[in-house]
Amino acid sequence: MSQKVMSALVGTVLTIGVASNAQATTWDMPTPYPDKTFHTQNISQFAADVDAATKGALKIKIHSAGSLFKHPEIKNAVRGGQVPIGEFFLSRLSNEHAVFGADSQPFLATNYDDAAKLWAAQKEVVAKLLDKQGLMPLFSVPWPPQGLYTKKEINTVDDLKGIKFRAYNATLETFANNVGAAPTQVEVPDIPQAFATGRVEAMITSPSTGANSKAWDFVTHYTDIQAWLPKNIVVVSKKAFRKLDKPVQDALLKAAADAEARGWDMSKKETAEKTKIMADNGVIIVTPAAELMTGLQAVGEKMLGDWKKAAGAEGEALLSNYK
């Protein structure tokens, strides 16, 4: 083979390589929770699946624990084009529209079967609302059923009066006010410090967050009230999605569907595993007293009535489809 032909072939190979690299896309993805959280682990697998399925044409770089954008900023960062994809707690958007907070209504859906039915009823409405903001949902995964963490035994709703209560969305702020507690916004990474400094004295959250935050360092009791199963959601900018080649779009959607199914299974496993970890570390696991549950459910019914008014026709349709 002549030197001239060899040089031409080498030039062609280099050109193809450069073109291939030019077509590769990297997406920065902010997430609000630490690496050890099962949601983040699921998203890490999602990113790996996308990389493998697209042969490197789309890479997703995860920025966990609010390291790129703080939790309250993530949705608008995607909407504003600062990042193409992100994860956040769905009911954080309930101030925009009550439908976003359907899964955080106390005692509306308290097990995985009901949570799945609720998401099926909620998904289409959520997608339409996000579409107006240039966003598209990729997948959503629930937390385990939410329980009550306290520094003392709680037997009635009255026992919660005056307690400084961690809130993570508007619905939980309302809940805290309804039981006579004092709500304070605290993000997951800040929970241990908030308890240590006395900013909060109680919280409702999942066994996952409790175990990952080492709740045994700052509370004594976990009351398994199974109040609701709130969800995280992963959204993508429609503009960024449209820029992808069709095969890459298809691979992304397939990986998202797999992540949703896997995430729900991971959540179910988390419930028992993380509750056991807390018990092994000295947290007293309490089956709630009947009087406590009666009082909490009464609060839930009142809040659902208010939610229906705020959610309007969309909320009425959602509940009709759910029931």
Side-chain angles (χ1 to χ4, degrees):
M1 185 178 293
S2 69
Q3 184 67 36
K4 186 175 182 179
V5 173
M6 177 64 76
S7 296
L9 287 173
V10 170
T12 300
V13 170
L14 289 174
T15 299
I16 292 172
V18 171
S20 176
N21 288 336
Q23 292 170 358
T25 299
T26 298
W27 281 1
D28 287 308
M29 180 178 182
T31 74
Y33 302 101
D35 291 336
K36 62 185 177 182
T37 304
F38 80 94
H39 283 284
T40 311
Q41 293 170 352
N42 185 39
I43 287 172
S44 294
Q45 184 60 56
F46 162 70
D49 290 348
V50 170
D51 188 11
T54 63
K55 296 181 171 58
L58 177 60
K59 293 182 178 292
I60 298 175
K61 183 178 180 181
I62 298 165
H63 302 267
S64 60
S67 57
L68 184 60
F69 290 99
K70 297 301 181 184
H71 196 170
E73 303 167 352
I74 292 176
K75 192 270 286 184
N76 285 334
V78 182
R79 183 183 183 185
Q82 294 166 281
V83 289
I85 187 173
E87 178 205 27
F88 52 86
F89 193 71
L90 179 58
S91 59
R92 288 195 68 90
L93 307 188
S94 57
N95 282 333
E96 296 181 14
H97 196 295
V99 163
F100 287 122
D103 58 10
S104 290
Q105 290 307 302
F107 308 105
L108 177 60
T110 60
N111 58 66
Y112 284 98
D113 287 343
D114 286 348
K117 292 176 185 176
L118 184 59
W119 176 228
Q122 185 185 22
K123 186 175 182 179
E124 184 177 351
V125 187
V126 165
K128 287 180 179 177
L129 291 171
L130 291 175
D131 182 73
K132 295 176 182 178
Q133 302 185 40
L135 304 173
M136 182 176 75
L138 286 181
F139 62 93
S140 184
V141 173
W143 291 90
Q146 306 288 283
L148 175 64
Y149 295 76
T150 56
K151 295 183 175 183
K152 62 179 182 179
E153 187 172 355
I154 303 294
N155 292 309
T156 71
V157 170
D158 286 343
D159 292 338
L160 295 170
K161 287 184 177 179
I163 288 180
K164 297 174 185 176
F165 208 91
R166 180 220 171 199
Y168 51 66
N169 60 18
T171 303
L172 197 46
E173 285 185 20
T174 302
F175 179 86
N177 286 324
N178 272 281
V179 299
T184 302
Q185 283 281 347
V186 175
E187 293 297 334
V188 168
D190 303 323
I191 287 174
Q193 181 68 12
F195 272 93
T197 58
R199 284 183 62 205
V200 293
E201 302 167 297
M203 63 181 177
I204 289 180
T205 193
S206 70
S208 301
T209 299
N212 292 343
S213 300
K214 296 184 178 179
W216 47 88
D217 288 339
F218 48 82
V219 300
T220 55
H221 291 71
Y222 171 76
T223 306
D224 188 18
I225 60 174
Q226 299 184 24
W228 56 85
L229 285 79
K231 296 184 295 293
N232 286 3
I233 192 168
V234 171
V235 303
V236 63
S237 158
K238 292 197 299 178
K239 184 177 180 180
F241 182 78
R242 286 195 295 262
K243 288 181 179 179
L244 301 174
D245 294 337
K246 183 62 165 59
V248 178
Q249 290 180 348
D250 291 343
L252 180 68
L253 295 175
K254 171 64 166 58
D258 291 344
E260 181 159 296
R262 179 177 59 243
W264 281 70
D265 286 340
M266 292 173 74
S267 181
K268 292 173 185 176
K269 293 177 183 176
E270 281 277 306
T271 303
E273 291 176 359
K274 294 304 173 71
T275 301
K276 183 178 185 301
I277 287 173
M278 289 194 294
D280 289 346
N281 281 276
V283 176
I284 301 169
I285 310 299
V286 182
T287 299
E291 186 177 354
L292 173 62
M293 290 305 299
T294 299
L296 291 176
Q297 287 166 354
V299 171
E301 289 176 9
K302 179 182 181 299
M303 288 180 63
L304 185 60
D306 294 339
W307 180 87
K308 288 178 183 177
K309 295 175 184 176
E314 291 95 337
E316 186 176 344
L318 186 157
L319 288 178
S320 177
N321 290 333
Y322 169 56
K323 293 179 178 178

